[in-house]
Amino acid sequence: MEPVWLKKVICKACSAEFLTPRIRSSTLKVKSIDSDFKKNYDCPINPLLYTVTSCPFCNYSARNEEFDKQELDYHPEIIKLASAIKEAKKNIVFPQEKEITTKQAEQKHILAITFYKQYKPPNLNTISGLYMHLAWIFRDEKNIEKEQEYLEKTLEYYIQTYEKGNFIPESIGEPGIMYLIGEINRRLVNYSDAVQWFSKALKHNEIKSYPNIEHMIRDSWEKINEEKKKNEIK
Ligand SMILES: [Zn+2]
């Protein structure tokens, strides 16, 4: 079965009807998972490019599931931004086709982030996740500069997520957010910051409820030690 199909959706912000490409999740097989939870698929196209829906008329954008389900009746701030874009004719006219370029996927993600930042209060974890997606998209493209640029944004928003303490996803808990902050720091070669976050996470009173996270922290910390040793030998 072809992995991409065109879904007819209605924009909750401007009521326009349009077609948007979606992935059939049944066609995806996870091949491996990176240390920052990026899933790698056995798939000729990159599913990451298809995770956000953008209205081509008002550019209201959200993660697919939320685009389909999230009602905007109580969010005048979202409607206001969408109408402003539409009225000023500043909208990016995304093609209603199955193909999507990296550039378009990047634009859709940036638009979604802009809209998610409008919510009061914004879900910082969602914003972090979208920046993380962008970093992953460019990891797949082997564009290290762009990957790092977006990892830095991800880091900034995960730190805010941790500090604000709401919107912590249950599946990974606070220790998981701390691990991610440490792990992104490691990928950005900020080793001392990474180690600080790892050690803080290992002392967290909920760490024993997340054995998988504990394991990943020890793994990642070990990688830093190995890297440091290698540099000493040189
Ligand atoms: Zn719209």
Side-chain angles (χ1 to χ4, degrees):
M1 206 188 287
E2 219 195 315
V4 185
W5 63 293
L6 280 175
K7 182 179 168 120
K8 192 189 278 179
V9 292
I10 292 172
C11 174
K12 298 265 180 28
C14 78
S15 307
E17 193 181 275
F18 65 96
L19 296 170
T20 189
R22 294 283 173 88
I23 296 273
R24 284 191 180 86
S25 52
S26 59
T27 62
L28 297 177
K29 278 199 184 71
V30 178
K31 199 170 57 180
S32 62
I33 301 178
D34 292 355
S35 59
D36 55 3
F37 304 132
K38 175 185 187 292
K39 288 179 179 153
N40 299 302
Y41 299 95
D42 230 343
C43 190
I45 46 123
N46 189 351
L48 270 174
L49 304 180
Y50 295 84
T51 49
V52 168
T53 302
S54 296
C55 171
F57 305 99
C58 74
N59 279 176
Y60 165 60
S61 305
R63 294 186 302 191
N64 294 344
E65 208 187 286
E66 275 145 13
F67 192 96
D68 295 351
K69 289 187 188 147
Q70 168 83 50
E71 297 296 339
L72 297 174
D73 307 352
Y74 297 105
H75 297 287
E77 65 278 17
I78 302 295
I79 309 271
K80 205 174 140 193
L81 176 58
S83 331
I85 294 173
K86 197 171 187 170
E87 273 160 33
K89 296 195 168 65
K90 291 227 167 99
N91 54 311
I92 302 169
V93 185
F94 294 103
Q96 301 182 46
E97 333 173 314
K98 287 183 186 174
E99 287 74 31
I100 181 166
T101 63
T102 303
K103 179 79 205 158
Q104 287 161 351
E106 184 182 18
Q107 288 171 326
K108 287 185 179 189
H109 275 77
I110 298 287
L111 281 166
I113 289 167
T114 308
F115 276 96
Y116 281 113
K117 283 180 182 172
Q118 291 290 311
Y119 283 95
K120 292 178 182 106
N123 183 331
L124 299 167
N125 182 57
T126 301
I127 296 169
S128 316
L130 285 163
Y131 277 125
M132 186 78 122
H133 262 187
L134 284 165
W136 291 346
I137 286 170
F138 288 102
R139 184 177 304 163
D140 285 333
E141 294 274 313
K142 305 204 176 357
N143 184 335
I144 293 167
E145 208 174 296
K146 278 256 188 184
E147 181 192 345
Q148 296 208 334
E149 177 191 325
Y150 284 123
L151 277 180
E152 270 162 25
K153 293 301 263 178
T154 312
L155 185 60
E156 184 187 326
Y157 277 87
Y158 271 133
I159 291 173
Q160 284 191 42
T161 305
Y162 171 75
E163 284 171 351
K164 290 260 158 53
N166 37 10
F167 302 116
I168 305 269
E170 242 174 73
S171 54
I172 58 168
E174 256 185 33
I177 297 287
M178 295 162 90
Y179 162 69
L180 274 175
I181 296 172
E183 176 58 14
I184 295 167
N185 268 306
R186 185 190 70 79
R187 286 176 174 267
L188 292 169
V189 205
N190 304 327
Y191 290 154
S192 63
D193 285 352
V195 166
Q196 270 184 29
W197 281 98
F198 289 156
S199 110
K200 217 161 114 176
L202 289 177
K203 287 182 200 136
H204 195 282
N205 57 13
E206 285 171 20
I207 189 72
K208 292 294 169 202
S209 316
Y210 299 96
N212 189 33
I213 298 285
E214 186 178 356
H215 184 81
M216 290 174 91
I217 292 173
R218 295 195 190 281
D219 248 22
S220 215
W221 199 333
E222 186 54 35
K223 278 185 212 156
I224 293 178
N225 289 338
E226 278 166 19
E227 197 59 34
K228 280 186 181 162
K229 250 186 240 160
K230 240 197 289 175
N231 292 339
E232 274 165 31
I233 293 164
K234 273 183 209 161

